[in-house]
Amino acid sequence: MKALLSEIFVWWQGQTWGTRLYLKRFFKYVGSDEFGNRYYEDKKRDRRWVTYNGYADASSIPPGWHGWMHHRTDTPPSAEHYNARPWEKPAQPNLTGTAAAYRPDGSLLNKGERPRVTGDYDAWSPE
């Protein structure tokens, strides 16, 4: 029963029934990526849509699909043999708000002390 209610109302863990019906009516399925995200294109070819596998996190879109989603290319990676360029890094999740987030020296959430100011900076004072 909980899973049924979750599918009806909870949009951040995938698609709801309303989203599923909307996509079936107005969009066509284009492909999916290695994370299980599913990509759609409007039948009028002016809008593109993604449904995430799990929590909605835009950082989980791989570089090839990111380019297609932002209209940088008209051909989706599923329609052609897509090879990532050597300078492209694999997609990584956004770690903001987690224990693994980056915390530089001087951060309130990091142990340690902020580095002392060197001679290249003078603090502003109103006088």
Side-chain angles (χ1 to χ4, degrees), residues 13-75:
Q13 289 183 342
Q15 58 184 343
T16 62
W17 281 3
T19 304
R20 186 174 296 155
L21 292 173
Y22 180 75
L23 290 173
K24 192 159 247 350
R25 182 172 178 196
F26 297 110
F27 287 75
K28 71 173 185 168
Y29 174 73
V30 176
S32 61
D33 62 19
E34 63 267 19
F35 299 114
N37 300 328
R38 297 174 55 91
Y39 298 91
Y40 299 89
E41 187 170 32
D42 192 350
K43 292 178 182 175
K44 298 177 183 175
R45 301 193 58 85
D46 60 347
R47 292 181 60 193
R48 295 172 180 176
W49 192 293
V50 60
T51 56
Y52 298 99
N53 182 20
Y55 285 103
D57 182 12
S59 66
S60 69
I61 297 178
W65 282 105
H66 182 271
W68 179 80
M69 286 290 297
H70 292 274
H71 297 275
R72 292 184 179 150
T73 180
D74 290 331
T75 308

